Amino acid sequence: TMRAAELKARKELSEAVAAKAKVEEELSRTKADMHVLKKERDDAKSKCDGLVMQADALAADCDALTVDRDSCKASVANLAAQMETMEGELAAAKKAVTEAEAAVKAAAAGGVDVAALKKAERASAEKAAASKVAAAKASAE
């Protein structure tokens, strides 16, 4: 019976040693898996940080483009106002030319009206001065 108890104890010891080896092997695999998962986590975090930096750069680019767009809109509005002023000046100049041609025709017809010529010259000078003022205002803006 002593021999049977010893054999039983040896068998249990052998089974315990085998179970311990199996647990150690599983622990080793688990540690290796954990190491791989930590590396994957670190890689994912690094990639995420890179994406955040790209997103910040894109946001900054977007802000700069918005400023450029707003500046372009202001420039277009300013140019439109200048163009409108120039169109007004052109119409005034055409009218002055028409009046001057009429004065020349009247003079050529022989009925020279000196007062009318002086009035036309004065109006032309006033229009030229107004044109210079408008141009100065436009360039100041």
Side-chain angles (χ1 to χ4, degrees):
T1 61
M2 193 66 152
R3 180 83 178 130
E6 185 182 339
L7 285 175
K8 186 178 176 187
R10 285 182 186 252
K11 184 179 176 189
E12 288 175 357
L13 175 63
S14 177
E15 288 173 355
V17 168
K20 178 185 172 208
K22 188 175 178 182
V23 167
E24 285 176 344
E25 182 183 326
E26 200 172 309
L27 178 64
S28 177
R29 272 198 311 264
T30 301
K31 283 182 179 178
D33 290 347
M34 190 171 77
H35 178 72
V36 168
L37 290 173
K38 281 182 179 178
K39 182 170 180 357
E40 288 176 357
R41 181 199 63 197
D42 292 345
D43 290 348
K45 184 181 182 316
S46 176
K47 191 173 187 177
C48 184
D49 290 345
L51 290 172
V52 168
M53 287 174 49
Q54 286 180 353
D56 289 345
L58 288 173
D61 289 348
C62 185
D63 290 344
L65 289 172
T66 299
V67 169
D68 288 349
R69 182 199 65 206
D70 293 345
S71 174
C72 286
K73 281 183 178 179
S75 294
V76 166
N78 189 21
L79 288 173
Q82 287 179 3
M83 202 166 100
E84 193 174 312
T85 300
M86 288 178 172
E87 286 172 350
E89 291 172 359
L90 178 63
K94 285 180 178 179
K95 184 177 177 189
V97 166
T98 302
E99 289 173 359
E101 287 173 346
V104 167
K105 284 181 184 175
V112 178
D113 184 353
V114 176
L117 285 176
K118 285 185 179 181
K119 183 178 176 186
E121 286 175 354
R122 191 176 326 113
S124 177
E126 287 172 359
K127 287 177 184 172
S131 174
K132 287 179 183 177
V133 168
K137 282 183 182 177
S139 66
E141 291 175 359

